[in-house]
Amino acid sequence: MQHKHPLDDSRHSDPALAGLRSQLSAHENVLCTLAVDLDAQLRFAQGLLVLTDRRLLARDPDGRWSSWVTRDDAGASGQDLELRHFDHAGVGTLELVAAPTGAPQRLASWRFTLKGNVQALRLIRLFVQQQARGPAGAAIPASGLTDEAALCPECDLPLPPDSEECPACARALHTPPSTWVLLRLWRFAHPYRYQLLAGFLLTLASTAATLVPPYLTIPLMDDILIPFQNGQQIESGKVGLILGSLLGAAVLGWGLNWARTYVLALVSERIGADLRTATFDHLLELSLDYFGGKRTGDLMSRIGSETDRICVFLSLHALDFATDVLMIVMTAVILFSVNPWLALVTFLPLPFIGWMIHVVRDRLRTGFEKIDRVWSDVTNVLADTIPGIRVVKAFAQEKREAQRFREVNQHNLAANDKLNKTWSLFTPTVSLLTEVGLLVVWAFGIWLVSRQEITVGVLTAFIAYIGRFYGRLDSMSRIVSVTQKAAAGAKRIFDILDHVSNVPEPAHPVKIGALAGRIEMKGLGFRYGNRSVIRGLDLQIQPGEMIGLVGHSGSGKSTLVNLLCRFYDVSDGAIHVDGTDIRRFAVADYRRNIGLVLQEPFLFFGTIAENIAYGKSGATRAEIVAAARAAHAHEFILRLPQGYDSLVGERGQGLSGGERQRISIARALLIDPRILILDEATSSVDTETEKEIQHALDNLVQGRTTIAIAHRLSTLRKADRLVVMDRGQVVEVGPHDELMAKQGAYWRLYQAQARQVDSDGADNDIEAGHIAVATAQLAHVAQHAAQQAGTP
């Protein structure tokens, strides 16, 4: 089967692809290409890797081509080749290895940023299939290929070979909201069905009461006013009866309207509150990978403004819509009972208004969803800037953030303006049609009166009813706007409620007793999207043992503790605690047995005592003080103005980094966990504060299974064993002295840190010189740019 060359497409202008044509022999087919965008020194440079049905070709950044035969013309394998794939700290690596009987020999390697990882995995898959296939003419299927690495992090469906966008998620994102999504709100309205029924009956009664006065105008006109105008006496009793009936109908209508408005407003507020609560509860149950792809401002907007919009729709507009429908139906019945021909003339504008509503509804539906997304961008800027105001001011970027807000606000204005063009034309047009319809009724009614087929009283009552009929019709057309707003908001809410957590609860959870803290990891593997982070990891930790995790950044240390905390679930293998797979425990019960101290501790706005007792809400003041003493935090807490009742700012901004860390340690001590995780607990503080924290940690780790992550290897000397990780795998395990004697991966890490410490003083002058040179170069570039722009 002939494969189309990428360079045959006239849209390609890449010089690497253009030069590929000269490298291909006759009838040689290109199977896959990979743009290699890094050189050996990890600098950005453009290269190309090409797999054909015969060879693997590579173009380096200097334009030189190399090739390795994978299949000869007879269909036999060329060299015994193997293509290996690694990714580390955001950089992917492909290695071509000759694998003869002896030791493997690396022939070449290429590095690229992970945006090309999906294509790299496809190239490897085709390479492996090519090595295993039959004759040279046998085709490699170009479709239907799957790769466990290329999975969407949102829905876990396979990604297309040449795309990092999931079609299912993209289709859900761009699908306009349907008005029928509002029917799903019945799930939240069902508990209040009896109150809703009472509201409907009150609406029916109040609507009927408002239809009484126009009907009473018939005897008022025909039996009272017109005879009086013709010289007859007015019957005062009859006048009093009619006027009293009009007053009674008005008072009754007022009372019924008040009752139904009050009842339905209470119900709608409770539906809105339940909707907010359910959305937030479900949001808290989702795994961390969901939040990794969402912005705080967008989620806040959904739970806040979208639920408010739905609540307003239910309390006001849905009620008005029901009233309008009842009014129109009941008015139509009365009109036909009075005079069918005049009623038919009244309904002439209805087909035109219905057609306009159908056309405008689709435009409003998509327009309001776009406005919701743009408004989320506005909220995102606020959510980014306000918590980061210290950084904004430190770098004097107030104008930049103001400009960023101004731009998204302008986008919001443009989206609203576009929608208002449609809406501003629709509403007056409906009003015009109703006015024309009223004129037609007047003309036809006068003609009927002239032929004495109806009386003036009947025509007057008709006009009164028509005023209500067309008024409700105009009101219904206006409800189209708020209905589509509510539908767009409901879609965004149900996008959250329909999302299933990647860390599911077990159907029949195992009860957790007193954990000993024995941890066993077997064949552990974890992939995040198309990245393999942990591979084939085996590790056993005994109860009460302290383990130190060390390795380069990106080696998988933090991912490993995230899997242990079950923030994510493993892709392969299993983690057992006391012999039970942690996926069989209820998530909340399991996490209550884990204490976590992070590199950057998070404190909530509130008092010191509330933050310490966050994991144990019923803790007494004595327990809180005891935990603070053990964490070496009691002394500085007492120096605060209100002691344990002192308020800390948002995220603990009123405290220093060391103070926040000690409160975090006290918080972990209070819940008395059996498994303790320390994630760079002392990396961001000074030496003196580190000693204080280390004393607190010594109290914390006693009798607990502890896993500590630290870049400063000197802080892990008290660990029973050190686990050295590299590229998601365990490469060494043992005590400090034993690993140093091996002179392996740990020894190299330790020596690198020691050399860095020793050379810091000597390198300061050199580094200062480099900084000065770089600063001068930047100033020269800025001056040149200013001259080019014509700035003096």
Side-chain angles (χ1 to χ4, degrees):
M1 181 178 69
Q2 295 295 317
H3 295 267
K4 182 179 179 181
H5 293 179
L7 52 98
D8 290 336
D9 193 335
S10 60
R11 294 172 296 176
H12 288 292
S13 58
D14 191 335
L17 289 177
L20 176 59
R21 182 186 298 274
S22 61
Q23 303 296 320
L24 299 176
S25 59
H27 306 296
E28 186 175 7
N29 296 321
V30 174
L31 303 178
C32 185
T33 63
L34 171 66
V36 180
D37 53 1
L38 296 174
D39 63 11
Q41 288 74 38
L42 298 182
R43 295 174 301 195
F44 285 105
Q46 294 301 317
L48 186 67
L49 195 60
V50 181
L51 178 66
T52 73
D53 55 357
R54 301 180 186 180
R55 294 180 296 166
L56 181 68
L57 294 93
R59 177 189 178 276
D60 63 24
D62 296 329
R64 293 187 297 268
W65 287 89
S66 306
S67 67
W68 297 267
V69 176
T70 57
R71 285 277 167 179
D72 59 23
D73 293 335
S77 298
Q79 307 175 55
D80 191 3
L81 301 176
E82 180 182 354
L83 198 57
R84 299 177 179 178
H85 172 264
F86 310 96
D87 59 75
H88 175 69
V91 176
T93 303
L94 285 179
E95 289 186 354
L96 183 65
V97 177
T101 308
Q105 178 185 0
R106 188 175 69 176
L107 302 177
S109 66
W110 303 272
R111 293 185 175 183
F112 52 91
T113 56
L114 287 182
K115 69 178 183 181
N117 205 44
V118 172
Q119 190 70 358
L121 293 170
R122 180 170 182 258
L123 187 144
I124 293 172
R125 183 176 64 249
L126 293 173
F127 182 88
V128 172
Q129 289 184 351
Q130 185 192 54
Q131 295 290 300
R133 68 176 180 153
I140 297 177
S143 61
L145 300 174
T146 59
D147 190 343
E148 294 179 357
L151 296 178
C152 173
E154 288 287 333
C155 63
D156 288 332
L157 292 176
L159 292 171
D162 301 318
S163 174
E164 294 188 13
E165 182 180 44
C166 175
C169 295
R171 185 165 56 251
L173 178 64
H174 300 298
T175 301
S178 170
T179 310
W180 297 107
V181 74
L182 293 173
L183 296 180
R184 297 185 64 185
L185 294 174
W186 176 249
R187 159 186 166 188
F188 298 95
H190 184 263
Y192 309 101
R193 56 191 179 279
Y194 297 115
Q195 293 92 326
L196 289 171
L197 178 60
F200 175 76
L201 294 177
L202 287 169
T203 301
L204 185 64
S206 64
T207 304
T210 58
L211 292 175
V212 172
Y215 195 83
L216 292 177
T217 60
I218 297 177
L220 187 63
M221 293 292 295
D222 292 342
D223 299 340
I224 305 295
L225 295 178
I226 294 177
F228 174 73
Q229 192 176 20
N230 294 330
Q232 297 182 14
Q233 293 292 328
I234 295 178
E235 299 180 20
S236 57
K238 194 171 186 179
V239 171
L241 179 62
I242 294 175
L243 293 179
S245 299
L246 288 171
L247 177 62
V251 173
L252 179 62
W254 170 83
L256 292 172
N257 269 319
W258 171 82
R260 60 116 186 191
T261 303
Y262 181 72
V263 169
L264 293 178
L266 289 180
V267 172
S268 64
E269 288 294 337
R270 280 153 180 76
I271 293 174
D274 293 346
L275 182 61
R276 280 190 293 270
T277 301
T279 305
F280 187 67
D281 288 347
H282 186 75
L283 197 64
L284 293 178
E285 294 174 359
L286 296 178
S287 55
L288 286 182
D289 62 342
Y290 176 82
F291 297 92
K294 298 290 185 268
R295 298 190 68 177
T296 303
D298 178 59
L299 296 177
M300 291 171 59
S301 174
R302 295 192 194 197
I303 297 177
S305 61
E306 302 298 356
T307 52
D308 283 344
R309 180 182 294 173
I310 293 171
C311 185
V312 169
F313 169 76
L314 294 175
S315 61
L316 297 178
H317 304 295
L319 179 62
D320 291 341
F321 180 77
T323 305
D324 294 340
V325 171
L326 288 174
M327 179 68 78
I328 289 173
V329 172
M330 296 172 73
T331 303
V333 171
I334 294 174
L335 291 177
F336 272 100
S337 66
V338 173
N339 190 290
W341 292 108
L342 198 56
L344 286 175
V345 172
T346 302
F347 297 149
L348 284 178
L350 285 182
F352 300 99
I353 295 176
W355 175 77
M356 288 188 61
I357 290 176
H358 174 71
V359 172
V360 170
R361 182 184 60 186
D362 294 335
R363 297 183 182 179
L364 293 178
R365 187 166 53 195
T366 55
F368 282 124
E369 188 186 20
K370 182 178 181 181
I371 288 174
D372 288 340
R373 292 198 301 267
V374 174
W375 181 250
S376 295
D377 292 339
V378 175
T379 313
N380 286 330
V381 174
L382 295 175
D384 287 344
T385 306
I386 294 175
I389 191 65
R390 185 187 296 270
V391 177
V392 173
K393 290 185 174 297
F395 288 90
Q397 293 299 308
E398 292 90 345
K399 291 184 178 179
R400 174 185 178 182
E401 295 301 327
Q403 178 63 26
R404 191 158 72 104
F405 183 81
R406 196 175 293 111
E407 288 176 357
V408 295
N409 200 26
Q410 192 64 33
H411 291 160
N412 178 60
L413 182 62
N416 279 277
D417 286 346
K418 184 177 181 180
L419 190 64
N420 287 334
K421 289 180 181 179
T422 301
W423 185 244
S424 61
L425 178 63
F426 171 71
T427 306
T429 304
V430 172
S431 299
L432 175 63
L433 289 174
T434 56
E435 292 292 337
V436 171
L438 187 60
L439 290 175
V440 173
V441 171
W442 268 110
F444 190 67
I446 292 172
W447 182 73
L448 291 177
V449 170
S450 69
R451 297 184 50 147
Q452 296 184 352
E453 294 186 14
I454 62 172
T455 64
V456 174
V458 171
L459 179 59
T460 304
F462 237 92
I463 296 302
Y465 278 122
I466 288 171
R468 283 170 166 76
F469 182 85
Y470 283 154
R472 293 300 181 177
L473 197 61
D474 185 61
S475 176
M476 283 186 65
S477 67
R478 296 175 189 274
I479 287 176
V480 173
S481 169
V482 294
T483 301
Q484 298 311 315
K485 284 184 180 180
K491 177 180 180 293
R492 285 163 56 78
I493 290 293
F494 283 110
D495 283 345
I496 296 177
L497 293 175
D498 293 340
H499 192 91
V500 180
S501 174
N502 290 339
V503 182
E505 292 280 359
H508 304 287
V510 175
K511 292 185 178 180
I512 300 180
L515 288 181
R518 184 176 71 257
I519 302 172
E520 185 176 5
M521 305 177 187
K522 298 179 180 178
L524 214 61
F526 177 71
R527 311 189 78 88
Y528 185 77
N530 54 33
R531 285 193 61 200
S532 176
V533 184
I534 301 289
R535 310 177 185 84
L537 187 145
D538 295 314
L539 182 64
Q540 293 187 358
I541 304 174
Q542 299 304 317
E545 187 179 18
M546 181 177 180
I547 294 294
L549 286 181
V550 298
H552 295 290
S553 296
S555 58
K557 305 185 298 296
S558 295
T559 301
L560 184 62
V561 299
N562 285 337
L563 293 175
L564 181 60
C565 292
R566 215 184 164 207
F567 293 148
Y568 305 95
D569 269 346
V570 298
S571 304
D572 302 301
I575 300 177
H576 291 82
V577 173
D578 289 357
T580 303
D581 192 326
I582 62 174
R583 290 171 291 191
R584 299 184 61 193
F585 295 131
V587 176
D589 291 342
Y590 171 66
R591 288 177 183 162
R592 289 191 187 100
N593 290 275
I594 296 179
L596 186 62
V597 180
L598 300 172
Q599 177 181 1
E600 297 181 2
F602 186 96
L603 300 185
F604 296 92
F605 184 88
T607 66
I608 297 287
E610 289 170 346
N611 274 281
I612 294 176
Y614 184 75
K616 188 179 180 182
S617 57
T620 64
R621 181 54 62 97
E623 291 174 324
I624 293 172
V625 172
R629 286 183 182 276
H632 290 253
H634 182 68
E635 290 75 13
F636 84 79
I637 293 175
L638 292 182
R639 291 196 295 268
L640 297 174
Q642 282 80 39
Y644 283 85
D645 295 321
S646 298
L647 285 173
V648 298
E650 187 176 3
R651 304 188 182 184
Q653 291 299 318
L655 303 174
S656 69
E659 291 170 343
R660 291 198 299 270
Q661 191 64 281
R662 278 176 279 178
I663 291 177
S664 174
I665 294 172
R667 183 166 59 193
L669 273 166
L670 189 60
I671 65 172
D672 191 23
R674 299 310 308 154
I675 299 173
L676 179 65
I677 295 174
L678 308 175
D679 191 354
E680 301 285 352
T682 62
S683 65
S684 58
V685 295
D686 58 85
T687 306
E688 194 65 31
T689 305
E690 181 182 359
K691 292 179 181 179
E692 290 286 332
I693 295 176
Q694 198 61 53
H695 290 312
L697 291 177
D698 291 341
N699 295 330
L700 182 59
V701 301
Q702 289 179 4
R704 296 181 173 88
T705 303
T706 304
I707 300 175
I709 299 175
H711 281 297
R712 284 186 279 193
L713 303 182
S714 57
T715 62
L716 296 177
R717 286 183 175 273
K718 296 182 180 180
D720 299 311
R721 286 187 300 159
L722 298 174
V723 176
V724 186
M725 295 188 64
D726 184 38
R727 297 179 180 179
Q729 296 177 315
V730 174
V731 294
E732 285 185 342
V733 180
H736 169 79
D737 294 336
E738 179 182 322
L739 296 181
M740 289 295 290
K742 283 185 178 179
Q743 295 191 359
Y746 177 77
W747 178 83
R748 288 191 294 272
L749 284 171
Y750 196 90
Q751 291 299 318
Q753 284 196 6
R755 284 195 299 270
Q756 181 179 0
V757 172
D758 293 340
S759 63
D760 275 349
D763 288 346
N764 280 341
D765 293 337
I766 299 174
E767 185 176 354
H770 289 167
I771 292 174
V773 171
T775 304
Q777 290 175 344
L778 286 173
H780 176 72
V781 171
Q783 182 180 6
H784 178 71
Q787 291 174 352
Q788 290 290 105
T791 304

